[in-house]
Structures are given as C-alpha cells and as structure tokens.
C-alpha cells in the first residue's frame, strides 16, 4: 500500500447538478498533503471512523478525507483546494456539538481545527484574548484566572469543546442567564471564506461601525466560512459566588420560583431545574449525595457579585424558594461545596446512560411564563409516544433540554423518538419560543426551521449564505431546510426553490 | 396652483448610470398621495426646509419629496414606488442623528417615520415591548415604568429621538457601560426591504436560530430597509440608584479612577467625564450649581442594583476617587438630586452654544488604558489647528465626544474643523479604537472607514448591502466610502470598484 492509499470514493460524482464530473480524491489528498503534511490528512476507513459523527451520535457519515490545518495560511490553502474542486467541506472542532452541525457529508472534506490550539494574545487591560479555534473553552478561563478574569460562556462540555465549535453553534451554558451566550462574548474574528479569501470581521472592541458581520458569523455552523482567530471578551471574576440548592415537591413550584426571582429584580448567574428522573440518574452515577432523591425537582441557583450583594440576594432568593413551597434550601459558598452542587447538573446528560442505552436531547426555548404548561404537555407527549422524557433545563432562560430515553437497537425507535422530539419543538414554537437555545440547528433541526420562519424569512437567510458561499460548498444542507431530510417531500415553496442545495 | 404643485426637480435625471431617464416627480408624488393621502406628502420648498438636515447641521440637502407613512402596508407601498422608479430613499426618524445618516440626497425621497408612533404590545411577563419606529425613546420607559421596568439605552436626546433612529444608528447613551448599546436590546423587527418586501428578522426571544440578521440590521442606517415594528427588551428597574460626582484637578486623575473602578470588579451603570471647558459651559447655561467651576474635570458615576450593593459599591468607588486625588465626592440617592447631577451632562452639547456659534461633535472610541495619552494628543491637535476642543465622554466605554468649537460663518472654518475631527478619529484608530461609538457613520465619517477596515473587509459589507438592496436605492452613498465625499479621489481599489455607488 502506498502512503496515501486507500483513498475512498475515487469514482464519486461531484456535486454540481449542471456539470457532473468525477472527483479525483487521490489528487485532492495529494494537494492537501502538500499543504499540511501527510500526517494531517486522514484517509483510511479505520481512522475516518473517529470523525463520522459529532455529539449527535444517531447520525453517522464518513467524509472522504479529514484535514487538520494548523495556521490561517494552511486553512486558506485547504479551502482553496475544496473551492477549486467544488467539493463540500464541513468544519469540526472537538466534535461535541449536539445538532449534527459537524456531521460529515458524503463526498466531503472534514476540516478539523483541533491542532489550532494557541492562545495568541491576552490583553488584561482591555479584557480580551485572541485564540485559535481549536482552543478548548475551559483553557481560556485557565489562562486568565490568575489575573482575576474568566470567560463567561460555559457549556456543560466546556472541558472538551472548542471555541471554534462554540462560535459555530453560538453555544450557551449554565451561566448564560446573566451574561448571555457566545455571541455576546465574541468581539471579532479572522475568517476564511468558502473561496479561501481571508476576512476580518468585528474587531477588538465592541460595537464596531459598519454591518455587524460578527453577529451573523457566530452561530452560522460553518456555512459562511471557518474562523482561524477569535477575539473573546473576558470578564472580571466575581468577588463572591454562592450556589443555592432548593428542592420541591412539584416541578411547577421550581418554575414559579424562577419567575419570582426574576420578577424581584435579581438576575442570578444561572438557574437550573432538574426533574426527579434526572436527579436519580445523576445520584446513581456520580453520587453527589446532596440531591434529594424523592424531590420532584431541584432548582440550582448561582449568584455572583460583591460579597454583600450576594449575601443579600441569597437571603431574598431563599425566602422566595420557601414561599413557593421549597422543602429545603442548601447553600454553598466555598469552591469545593459549589462544585459538588454543580457536579450532578454537569453530569446530567452522561448520567442518562444509567437509565437507557440511548438518549436524544432536545434544545427548545419557551417564554418563562409557559413553563408549567409546556412541562405538562411534554409529559402528555411522553405518555402518547411511550418514551420517558427526563427534563434538565436552563430555567432562567426558558431553555429546555428534554432528554428522550430510548434504545437505538429497537427497530424504528429512533424515528419515533425524533418525531416525539419534533412535537416538543413545535410545542415550543407554538407558545412563542424557539427550536434552539444553544445547540444550533445543524442537520438535526433544519426541517423545523419552517415552523419558526416564513419562506420569505428563510430566503433572506439563504441570500446571505449565497453571498458568502456562491458555490454552496460550506457545510451544505445544514441549517436551512431541504426536502430530503425533512422526510416529507418539498414542504414549501422555499424548499422547492432551494432543492438544488440538497445536491450533496 | 394645483394641490400637488410645486413638484421639485421634474427634469432630474434618474440615478442608474446605464439607463439614464427623467424622473417624473409629479407622477411619483401622485402615487405617494394615493397611498398616504395628500397631507402626508411634503413637496413645497418651504416645507421641505424642515427636512434638509439631521442633527449634523453643517450639511444640508433638500430631498425631492418627503413621505410620512403610518403603517407597514403604507411603508411597503411607498418603498415599492421608489423601487419601481429607481429613485433613492432615505429613512428619517426624529432627525436628531449626529452623523448625517438621515441627510437627504439630491433627487431622493425622504421617508419619515414620525407618524408611526404606536406602542403595539407590552409583555411584562416576558420583558419585551413591540413599538413602531416613530415611538420616542423615552416613551418606552414611560409606558413600562409603572410596572417597574425601563428601556436601557438612553441617548442624551432621548426625550426626542425615535426608536427607529436608535436602531438605524445603534445608539448608545450614558448607561450603556453596564447594559450595552441598542443592538443588545433589540430582539427582532419587521422590516421592509428596498424592493418593498416585508421580512421578519429575529423574533420575540433572544438568540433565535439561523443567521443573526437583527444584528446586521441594527446600525445599518437605513441602507438595508426600514423597520416598521421593533421588539425591544425591557429591564426590571433597579431597587436603588446612586449618583456620585467627583471632582479632580487633572483630567488624567478622573481617567485613572475609571480604570481603577473597573479593575475593582465594579461595573457602574455609567461613568462620564466632563472637562473644565464643558463644566463652565453647562454651569453658564443650566446652572446646576453642583459642578465646581475650577475643577479640571468631573466624573459622574451612576451605580444601580440592590440597595445594599449600591451602598457598598458607592463606598468603594468613593475611596478609589480619593485615592486618585479627588478633591471632593458628592453623592445623590433621591431622584431629584440625581437628576440635578445629571442635568449638566445631558445639556452639555447644547451648552456649547454659549461658548461658540457652532460646534462639531466627534464620536471616537479608544481603549480605556489610552485615555490620558489620547487626551494629551487631542490637546496638541487643538493647539495646532487653533480651535478649542471641549471633552465630554462616556469614560467607562472609552467613548469620546470631543466638541470642536468654531464659527461656520468664517470661510473655510468647517473644512478645517472637519480635518481636525478626522485627525482625532485617526488617532482613535491608531491606539486600537474605533471611529464611531454610538452616532453611526452616516455621511460624515464614511471616508474614515478605510482607516479601520481593509478593502476586502469593506467589500464584504458591500456584498451584504447588495443582497438586501441590489438596485442601490436605500440611503446610497452612506456608511461605505466613495471617492466623491472623501475629497481625495479614489482612495483605494475598493473605492474604485464601487464608485458606481456614488451615482446619486
């Protein structure tokens, strides 16, 4: 076997509907190797296995090739090769995304940013850092915490997920109630467009003049290009942090508490609710020994600020919890105790493995005022479809994470579970919410975009996409709906018009 | 004279470079009248006088016609008439903008949103309101304050400026240090595109999926379309507000105090510095009797939050002021006293009329750490050009407002003052800042865009603009640089490429 064999799919037909031609993957692989070196072009079926899905493991697809550039220049050269050959490319960071944004496409190149992991600049005076996209979320805080700063967005996967992926999916986290999701913390970026051109968007200060292209890029899931440098805001660490754990005999009481806290003019760093099923799953798994197993729900509240402010807020929140019928309120101020209280929440998704071979996590948003109604409706849907649904959610933001438990080995289970998940999303939209809070749309939820947006609104998004990517090679078929994946034929004139986008 | 005469410029040549044709303003005026009624089409030279400039009064241009639609349907019909006739239109709210964003163009239609002043929906539970664009900034807070809410962005002109104008210019205000400028408070909008199509962007909840077109639209100065409904976030009013006034014997000491407060982890609602010239101008004008006339600078700090938190922060800030050499720190907690302390700051621009027949206000942003250096450089520029420069600024954000005092009646004065203003902006960019903090680019500062952005970055903005406005009729020649207005011929390949945009 030669060094570069086997090359998959050498007879594949390229994607353009008007000028079909054979993709010469061997030549493309050689071109990539000339740029990044042989070691960083992954091409055997066995090695490609590691890249066939992201965190949405129910969908798998091997790409033709995986390339790992290390610099903006290498990224540019790699993307230019894709552009020249009109082959699709998909960007991937750590692969922890939950909507299939980094799911490879057939006959595509997967561009992985894991080797771009340098923190390029730290500027404490102006509270910003410049990082490469492969830098792990948690490293940013580690790099600046010594000087009393931190990076606010904190997905549960923060010890492994990358900043590039966070930017692509506009990730959130448990502390985004007070500080906002990723887009609120990105000042600018250096991006490589789908034709290989390098652009700077935004800058090093907030609110640059001109059109806010940073806002468009954040959350664009690799469809407008790939960032090679990202400038992030860092915040001053709070003087004091306190975590409260309240337990309730109904989920509704926890929900009302959340509304009452916000109405009292207090904005905690985060407010999280877990239901009984989730509580028991995490206690079985990580044994925090502080989540009461018989509670219908627990509410975790983190408060940060000046010491005196935190103490006062904690006192008021505790009173609001008891007024809403809390059985008990535990408080933690030192770091170890706080971590213990958070440990179960952070492990919640993983813990579902104790309850069920597989789970499917949804990411809907609802107005806080509809929480009780929506939870009751989810319970009804759970009964109707015959699958348990555990609820873990960023309650302060109204961002639900229903976890549908199922066994993928059962024939037809995934399809039914997806349908149930879809019903939950439609319910979220019906009450004035959204089909995504922080996980993105990716491959998983694009067929629900039409629930939220009219044809004409989707067309506007397509226009913007076409401007950045006229050949349609940057993560095509993701985000915007196409008939193939919705499983219902062309759903709308929008779908019909853009069905060519489905050519990959 | 008939009801619709006189119609100006009936012999004007329409704007397309390839197919010049005569604009039939009489027919267009008739079409507008059929939509909005005769009363709301302004067409005599005398009436048009009121619309020939915005807050940047040094530039004046009469539009061909002014139209005042009242609904989305009327706006759509009006814009479709412009599109069909390929005539440029400029959007205007209250006309208080300071960068000439609403400056009419020759042979253009000025679309004024002043009659669209309904508050369409107030939703306290989900903390949002839906307003028409002509609603005055201050009315939003007035409509919700009874229930304990407020709208955060507060330009100094808030008693007269409109939400539509705030959205167009991404306006700021003295309290944007803690809460951010307009873009952080707009959840979504209904917009009419330059071809008359109606689109919904964003929604009623933060962080909608798909490309963030709300972020692009906010700050686009009427170049991407006109909003007819805007959904705004409202915030819970703080339990307690305190204003501190510290006076210093140098401006630098006030600047260091600002940096030290932020470094101490305290984020006040706003921190404003005024220099000696500004202090005396406002005391001469509004007589607050609390700004010490012999101070080199005063620093106004507003702190909001829980009562106990505000008291603690005030104590710490006071200590930081004295450590930096403050002569005195005055504090106000009751509403009347607070208003008195703020009164001079809010009147600062107007007060310049006491010192000089005219003033030219700049709006640059600098890193906080460069404050002392930049103020010294501005002083040098002031001496070099022979014009006094008063400094009033949002110190917490590093957002400077140098006020250059001059007499427009002196031949050549305006040109020299603009050159001095330009030097100040270039200085801001040189230290890592920006040419605009909150007033927009408009007609005034577009020739400095090339100082901040490369040709390729400006091209990307132009792409986005072309997508929304392929005919180039929505506020053409604004924001992006064109050779004509920079007074230097084509400055770059970007300018050369897009000089066709300068055809209006």
């Amino acid at each position: 076997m030669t060094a570069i064999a086997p090359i998959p799919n050498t007879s594949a037909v390229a994607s353009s509907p008007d000028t079909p031609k054979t993709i010469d993957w061997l030549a493309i692989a050689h071109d990539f190797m000339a740029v990044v070196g042989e070691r960083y072009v992954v091409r055997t079926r066995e090695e490609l296995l590691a890249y066939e899905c992201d965190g949405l493991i129910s969908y798998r697809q091997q790409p033709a090739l995986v390339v790992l550039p290390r610099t903006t220049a290498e990224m540019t050269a790699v993307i230019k090769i894709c552009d020249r050959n009109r082959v699709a490319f998909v960007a991937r960071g750590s692969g922890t995304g939950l909507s299939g944004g980094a799911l490879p496409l057939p006959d595509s190149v997967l561009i992985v940013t894991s080797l771009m992991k340098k923190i390029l600049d730290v500027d404490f005076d102006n509270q910003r850092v410049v990082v490469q996209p492969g830098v792990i979320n948690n490293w940013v805080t580690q790099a600046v915490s010594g000087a009393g700063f931190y990076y606010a967005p904190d997905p549960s996967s923060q010890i492994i997920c990358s900043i590039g992926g966070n930017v692509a999916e506009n990730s959130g986290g448990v502390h985004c109630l007070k500080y906002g999701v990723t887009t609120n913390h990105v000042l600018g970026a250096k991006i490589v467009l789908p034709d290989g051109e390098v652009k700077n968007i935004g800058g090093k200060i907030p609110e640059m003049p001109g059109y806010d292209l940073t806002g468009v890029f954040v959350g664009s899931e690799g469809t407008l290009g790939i960032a090679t440098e990202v400038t992030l805001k860092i915040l001053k660490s709070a003087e004091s942090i306190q975590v409260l754990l309240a337990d309730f005999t109904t989920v509704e009481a926890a929900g009302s508490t959340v509304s009452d806290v916000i109405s009292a003019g207090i904005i905690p760093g985060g407010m999280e609710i877990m239901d009984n099923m989730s509580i028991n799953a995490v206690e079985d798994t990580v044994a925090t020994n502080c989540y009461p197993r018989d509670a219908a729900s627990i509410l975790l509240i983190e408060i940060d600020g000046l010491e005196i402010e935190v103490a006062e807020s904690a006192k008021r929140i505790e009173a609001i919890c008891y007024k809403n019928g809390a059985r008990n309120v535990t408080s933690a101020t030192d770091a170890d105790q706080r971590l213990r209280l958070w440990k179960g929440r952070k492990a919640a998704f993983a813990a579902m493995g104790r309850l069920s071979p597989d789970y499917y996590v949804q990411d809907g948003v609802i107005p806080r005022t509809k929480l009780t109604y929506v939870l009751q409706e989810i319970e009804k849907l759970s009964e109707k479809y015959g699958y348990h649904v555990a609820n873990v959610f960023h309650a302060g933001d109204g961002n639900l994470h229903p976890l549908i438990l199922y066994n993928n080995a059962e024939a037809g289970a995934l399809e039914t579970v997806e349908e149930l998940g879809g019903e939950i999303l439609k319910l979220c939209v019906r009450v004035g919410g959204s089909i995504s809070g922080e996980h993105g749309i990716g491959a998983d939820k694009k067929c629900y975009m039409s629930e939220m947006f009219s044809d004409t609104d989707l067309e506007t998004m397509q226009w913007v996409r076409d401007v950045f990517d006229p050949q349609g090679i940057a993560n095509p078929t993701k985000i915007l709906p196409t008939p193939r994946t919705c499983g219902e034929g062309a759903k709308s004139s929008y779908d019909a018009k853009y069905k060519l986008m489905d050519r990959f």
Side-chain angles (χ1 to χ4, degrees), chain A:
Chain A
M1 249 192 229
T2 71
I4 58 150
I7 300 293
N9 298 327
T10 45
S11 64
V13 169
S15 35
S16 162
D18 36 2
T19 57
K21 60 167 187 184
T22 302
I23 302 176
D24 186 351
W25 286 113
L26 187 67
I28 293 172
H30 272 293
D31 287 349
F32 285 150
M33 284 187 257
V35 173
V36 298
E38 197 185 303
R39 183 173 167 197
Y40 299 120
V41 182
V42 176
R43 53 205 183 276
T44 69
R45 200 162 290 276
E46 296 68 33
E47 287 177 303
L48 289 172
L49 262 181
Y51 298 100
E52 67 179 15
C53 67
D54 62 6
L56 182 75
I57 55 172
S58 43
Y59 294 94
R60 289 167 193 274
Q61 170 65 48
Q62 285 210 354
L65 294 167
V66 173
V67 193
L68 295 100
R70 282 155 301 188
T71 62
T72 301
E74 287 187 3
M75 181 69 82
T76 302
V78 163
I79 291 181
K80 280 189 172 165
I81 293 167
C82 294
D83 175 62
R84 205 164 53 234
N85 289 280
R86 296 191 69 181
V87 295
F89 63 86
V90 177
R92 174 187 162 114
S94 300
T96 54
L98 290 165
S99 64
L103 177 72
L105 301 165
D107 290 320
S108 73
V109 175
L110 191 70
I111 302 177
V112 178
T113 59
S114 303
L115 300 182
M116 302 184 75
K117 52 190 181 189
K118 285 196 194 120
I119 294 179
L120 301 170
D121 185 44
V122 177
D123 178 352
F124 291 123
D125 284 340
N126 295 299
Q127 298 192 204
R128 63 200 180 199
V129 297
V130 182
V131 302
Q132 285 189 314
V135 163
I136 301 303
N137 174 294
N138 211 24
W139 296 359
V140 181
T141 291
Q142 284 169 3
V144 300
S145 61
F149 293 91
Y150 74 110
Y151 175 63
D154 56 345
S156 296
S157 56
Q158 70 182 126
I159 58 166
I160 169 72
C161 66
S162 71
I163 292 296
N166 293 173
V167 168
E169 302 297 334
N170 195 13
S171 304
V174 296
H175 293 102
C176 291
L177 169 60
K178 185 168 182 179
Y179 298 105
V181 295
T182 300
T183 194
N184 299 293
H185 301 270
V186 177
L187 295 170
K190 187 185 283 299
I191 63 174
V192 183
L193 295 184
D195 65 356
E197 197 171 3
V198 179
K199 300 267 185 187
N200 295 297
I201 54 174
K204 293 201 163 189
I205 49 172
E207 308 313 333
M208 296 276 282
Y211 304 121
D212 176 21
L213 296 176
T214 313
V216 173
F217 189 81
V218 177
S220 65
E221 309 196 41
T223 62
L224 306 181
I226 301 181
T228 58
E229 289 182 16
V230 185
T231 303
L232 301 171
K233 266 196 272 190
I234 50 173
L235 302 181
K236 195 81 191 163
S237 306
E239 178 181 295
S240 170
I241 301 174
Q242 187 164 351
V243 178
L244 300 179
L245 168 68
D247 82 89
F248 296 89
T249 53
T250 64
V251 181
E252 292 71 25
S256 313
T257 305
V258 168
S259 289
D260 288 354
V261 168
I262 300 283
S263 296
I266 305 170
I267 304 181
M271 289 197 274
E272 301 282 314
I273 293 178
M274 290 170 64
D275 68 6
N276 181 271
M277 200 183 296
S278 312
I279 294 167
N280 281 288
V282 302
E283 284 300 327
D284 287 345
T285 315
V286 297
T288 73
N289 296 323
C290 44
Y291 292 8
R293 283 174 177 275
D294 63 339
S297 70
I298 56 167
L299 172 61
L300 280 158
I301 303 172
E302 184 163 305
I303 322 154
D304 62 3
L306 301 182
E307 200 167 325
I308 198 162
E309 168 195 1
V310 169
E312 173 71 17
S313 295
K315 207 168 68 184
R316 294 192 195 186
I317 292 172
E318 199 176 311
I320 293 170
C321 289
Y322 283 123
K323 193 176 134 264
N324 277 285
R327 296 190 308 185
N328 193 31
V329 182
T330 314
S331 161
T333 46
D334 83 51
D336 282 347
Q337 285 177 331
R338 291 199 315 258
L339 274 182
R340 208 167 128 240
L341 289 187
W342 274 122
K343 190 180 169 189
R345 169 62 189 87
K346 294 260 180 186
F349 288 8
M352 293 302 148
R354 301 282 296 204
L355 299 184
S356 169
D358 298 284
Y359 69 87
Y360 178 83
V361 59
Q362 267 305 2
D363 170 41
V365 179
I366 56 164
R368 268 192 302 270
T369 46
K370 306 286 189 195
L371 193 58
T372 301
Y373 169 75
V374 169
L375 290 176
Q376 285 164 349
E377 289 298 301
I378 290 177
E379 181 57 29
K380 281 186 207 163
L381 286 168
S382 161
E383 280 165 25
K384 179 180 159 194
Y385 281 85
Y387 289 96
H388 285 299
V389 180
N391 283 296
V392 174
F393 43 95
H394 306 316
D397 320 73
N399 187 186
L400 306 182
H401 287 322
L403 292 143
I404 308 171
L405 310 180
Y406 75 107
N407 182 354
N408 205 15
E410 279 171 21
L414 177 61
E415 290 69 22
T416 313
V417 161
E418 283 180 337
E419 195 182 316
L420 167 52
E423 289 301 318
I424 294 174
L425 290 186
K426 289 178 194 169
L427 167 64
C428 292
V429 174
R430 217 156 51 231
V431 299
S434 164
I435 60 173
S436 176
E438 55 178 8
H439 297 171
I441 299 300
D444 189 34
K445 290 191 286 188
K446 62 182 176 162
C447 49
Y448 302 106
M449 286 290 274
S450 308
E451 300 287 329
M452 285 192 78
F453 298 101
S454 70
D455 283 5
T456 160
D457 298 340
L458 291 171
E459 261 169 42
T460 318
M461 293 188 200
Q462 183 68 50
W463 288 353
V464 173
R465 185 166 180 167
D466 290 346
V467 166
F468 280 80
D469 180 24
Q471 291 218 81
I473 59 171
N475 214 2
T477 77
K478 303 288 177 66
I479 302 184
L480 298 174
T482 46
R484 186 196 290 172
T485 49
C486 294
E488 300 172 30
K491 291 180 64 163
S492 65
S493 64
Y494 171 82
D495 290 331
K497 186 166 173 189
Y498 286 103
K499 66 177 181 238
L500 284 182
M501 291 303 293
D502 202 30
R503 64 189 191 251
F504 290 99

